[in-house]
Amino acid sequence: MKRIYFDHSATTPVDREVAELMLEYMTDKYGNPSSVHAFGRETRKALEEAREKVAALINAAPNEIFFTSGGTEGDNLALKGVAYANRKKGNHIITTAIEHHAILHTCEYLEKQGFSVTYLPVDENAMIRMEDLKNAITDQTILISVMFANNEVGTIQPIKEIGQLAKEKGIYFHTDAVQAAGNYPIDVKELNIDLLTMSGHKFHASKGIGALYIRRGVRVEEIQHGGGHERNLRAGTENVPGIVGLGKAAEIAKRDMEEKVTYIQGLRDKIITTITEKVPHIKLNGHPESRMPGNVNFSFLYIEGESLLLNLDMKGIAASSGSACTSGSLDPSHVLLAMGLPHEVAHGSLRVTLGRGNTEEEVDYFLGIVPEIVEKLRSMSPLYGS
Amino acid sequence: MKRIYFDHSATTPVDREVAELMLEYMTDKYGNPSSVHAFGRETRKALEEAREKVAALINAAPNEIFFTSGGTEGDNLALKGVAYANRKKGNHIITTAIEHHAILHTCEYLEKQGFSVTYLPVDENAMIRMEDLKNAITDQTILISVMFANNEVGTIQPIKEIGQLAKEKGIYFHTDAVQAAGNYPIDVKELNIDLLTMSGHKFHASKGIGALYIRRGVRVEEIQHGGGHERNLRAGTENVPGIVGLGKAAEIAKRDMEEKVTYIQGLRDKIITTITEKVPHIKLNGHPESRMPGNVNFSFLYIEGESLLLNLDMKGIAASSGSACTSGSLDPSHVLLAMGLPHEVAHGSLRVTLGRGNTEEEVDYFLGIVPEIVEKLRSMSPLYGS
Amino acid sequence: MYNEKVMDHFSNPRNVGEIKDANGIGEVGNSKCGDIMRIYLQVEDDIIKDVKFKTFGCGAAIATSSMVTEMVKGKRLDEALEISNQAVAEALGGLPPAKMHCSNLAADALHEAIKDYIAKKGK
Ligand SMILES: Cc1ncc(COP(=O)(O)O)c(C=O)c1O
Ligand SMILES: Cc1ncc(COP(=O)(O)O)c(C=O)c1O
Ligand code: FES
Ligand code: FES
């Protein structure tokens, strides 16, 4: 059976070119960048070239890029690092109710350490309101952390306005750009971003590698202790193959950005339009315009997300859902609930996230079978037609 | 010029078979193990199989293995995780003066958090004395962390006795086995080890992946917050290619252990014997018997380590030194100083660490040129012959 | 995640639908998780002549619903009352641990339907 991958927000395939470069830095150019000999100098050079490429992707300077083991570590380092280093200035952090768990659980941990955290609510499109943000700021506020784009419903936040406000107030602004980096144009200078988290496996580099951008001058305390790697901010032998791969993926992402965004958005809009036409009793989740190019998220009323996923899976299609039943937890997606969706509607959500490898043909196949599957599940549902 | 790699304690080349398997899990089998669809189930399965192989390497159970981003993270998680989770039982930790910075700097951090740390001294062979350890234990002691084998001088500590003592006293025993795991036989059951850190890039898996063994029942608090990965102990999308590679490397290491140790030790002993015979004014650093199979560490009196390294490098040989000059810090190796070496002797040290890829021919080439280089450098030294 | 038998019942659920003139109907829901199961019975002489279900829920919820209908068709009521949620899960060859509490409710729905039948008959 043909397999169709529609789950690019969960993870992406590594680019062939990236993977082959990584292989070279595993079997041939394997020196430790801390070593003074030829093997070490060779990888040190590659490391710094990768740093330049990652910096270029978001218009940062190379020395503002710090490599991490992924998005989760980046988020932990940004929040804890800023909180600990700036404790004397204040103990208040502002974030949103719809962040990824890497942010939310880190904030909960910081609350136990004596910090106070405001979780901004969102509107029905998963957007924060600038008014709420302004009202939340106190003289104790040291950090605002608002995600660039939401991983479930794709809503892109008003990053530029937030950056502007944070700058005026002299508060650091961190954004979890794990979904956006490499998939959407970002200019940290123009957007006034102080810290930005990215993760390689969301844009065709490998799992287990990421980067944190820290604007020059921002005070951050290290959270992983050891050798003085990454200018004393992140100890541990550098993951050279991962880093070199991240550099290459960043280079490709920057080069192809415009074309990729247009192409993926075309597929996305075809899915949204067709489903809206063909399937009754549905709701598009997320913002209609300010939305990631590859994100489709629908609630299909009267049916449950996991059953929908399993049926798609049996037809070779890999997608995802905000249903609690897929995660083993009891509550459905905190994002859908924060947007005000009732439990049973949140349960019936389906997320399709597209990548540059997807084709029109795949989209058509999907659009052909979804109405049938939805119909079949509804016919079993005690909520439907009664 | 032929390049000879004699720096396996710094890092090792990734096994071809391991690298190719990783490539497969990057470009083809790239699902996120948390996904419920076919792509996700496939990698979930591979992840759990890798866990079994890593467990088998040290005779642990699969559910006692937690994947990390490397040795440094493993050491941080072991020390902070045990310290935070067992704060109520006591605030005292015992370690040694010759640990890697991943342990030492984490301990210094914990001291700032209100823990008290004893750094055991070592004898001239870099061995701790069991007597010192016994005397250091108080009713506040919650953790003993003693490295399995030292990364600079190769000394293997009396792990079994330490494990026995810790067990009798009801104190957790962690060992930083980053150098030993995969390169020396380890049985955590027989040795009574409660926690053990390993790092992939020291035994032919990739940089950026490692594992922490935690005996069932040991209380550890997570230090990286986010999604509930690794049974809530280590958040972050699993580095599937790294993990699958680590599993394969562990399998190979276990299979070839005996043969590999014998072979490498043969090369090592040839180097030690020949240098001792041919070069005057030298000192073998580390224990004469209880020593890693691949470790050679000599001090060449009257000369300086960096100059020695550079000369070797010009001849295509990659080795390392405990000299401060190679690291950019001012003090020479804290390990050599802790062993009682005077500064100038510590400065003249050379570390050669062998791997299974090294040949007798490479060793002979090295042995042919070392005496010349040493002689040349000594002839320039104001300390020599005066 | 699910074994073959569960997937079989999920993809080809037995006895889906409603019984127009059912003389016993039972419904249970797990309000937290959101799943709902409804069982329709046609009972004659204390024998379950026909049984159908409708379920809103995950793969496990649908598979257990399907399984329980197979298990009780043709059975006497006292026999049917002895079937536990555990027995349904076992008949399916087991369920993932996370699903045991949340969606393994089919026997409960059946028992509710039987109680409904008995209550109606008593009137
Ligand atoms: C918005 C967001 N933040 C953080 C993360 C965590 O990143 P990683 O999986 O690389 O640890 C993810 C993805 O899992 C994400 O979508
Ligand atoms: C003994 C020891 N512990 C810890 C580490 C750190 O491991 P990693 O480089 O994988 O972070 C190393 C190597 O660098 C080591 O030799
Ligand atoms: S002799 Fe120059 S740095 Fe040490
Ligand atoms: S319906 Fe939610 S776990 Fe089954």
Side-chain angles (χ1 to χ4, degrees), chain B residues 93-155:
Chain B
I93 296 168
I94 302 173
T95 187
T96 81
I98 60 160
E99 298 294 312
H100 189 269
H101 284 139
I103 296 287
L104 291 179
H105 291 162
T106 302
C107 283
E108 286 159 20
Y109 176 76
L110 286 171
E111 286 182 284
K112 286 192 212 136
Q113 307 300 308
F115 290 88
S116 133
V117 182
T118 301
Y119 301 89
L120 298 176
V122 293
D123 68 15
E124 71 279 10
N125 293 327
M127 275 282 194
I128 65 157
R129 295 177 200 86
M130 287 304 291
E131 219 32 50
D132 291 340
L133 175 56
K134 273 179 206 143
N135 293 335
I137 295 173
T138 74
D139 60 357
Q140 285 292 308
T141 311
I142 50 175
L143 177 67
I144 297 169
S145 180
V146 175
M147 72 198 313
F148 202 107
N150 183 268
N151 45 306
E152 295 191 26
V153 297
T155 300

Side-chain angles (χ1 to χ4, degrees), chain C:
Chain C
M1 182 170 66
Y2 293 127
N3 67 35
E4 262 176 46
K5 191 148 189 191
V6 175
M7 283 310 287
D8 175 42
H9 276 269
F10 170 72
S11 40
N12 308 298
R14 333 292 200 250
N15 307 307
V16 185
E18 294 172 27
I19 300 176
K20 282 266 144 43
D21 48 352
N23 52 13
I25 298 179
E27 181 172 304
V28 294
N30 176 333
S31 59
K32 268 214 119 171
C33 165
D35 55 352
I36 299 170
M37 288 180 192
R38 194 182 297 152
I39 297 252
Y40 302 84
L41 293 179
Q42 182 61 55
V43 184
E44 272 174 43
D45 303 331
D46 283 356
I47 303 266
I48 298 175
K49 287 283 179 207
D50 197 11
V51 52
K52 288 210 173 338
F53 81 89
K54 278 206 159 184
T55 289
F56 168 86
C58 66
I62 290 173
T64 51
S65 309
S66 165
M67 189 72 217
V68 85
T69 60
E70 274 212 327
M71 288 169 81
V72 300
K73 208 176 221 179
K75 288 248 163 53
R76 289 200 318 271
L77 291 182
D78 56 337
E79 290 172 322
L81 277 168
E82 273 169 26
I83 293 172
S84 64
N85 289 333
Q86 185 63 32
V88 177
E90 273 163 25
L92 283 165
L95 288 171
K99 298 287 183 181
M100 286 302 286
H101 301 293
C102 180
S103 44
N104 190 13
L105 301 168
D108 294 347
L110 169 73
H111 298 164
E112 288 301 315
I114 295 174
K115 273 189 228 156
D116 179 53
Y117 164 75
I118 293 169
K120 279 181 182 149
K121 206 175 82 169
K123 274 186 192 162

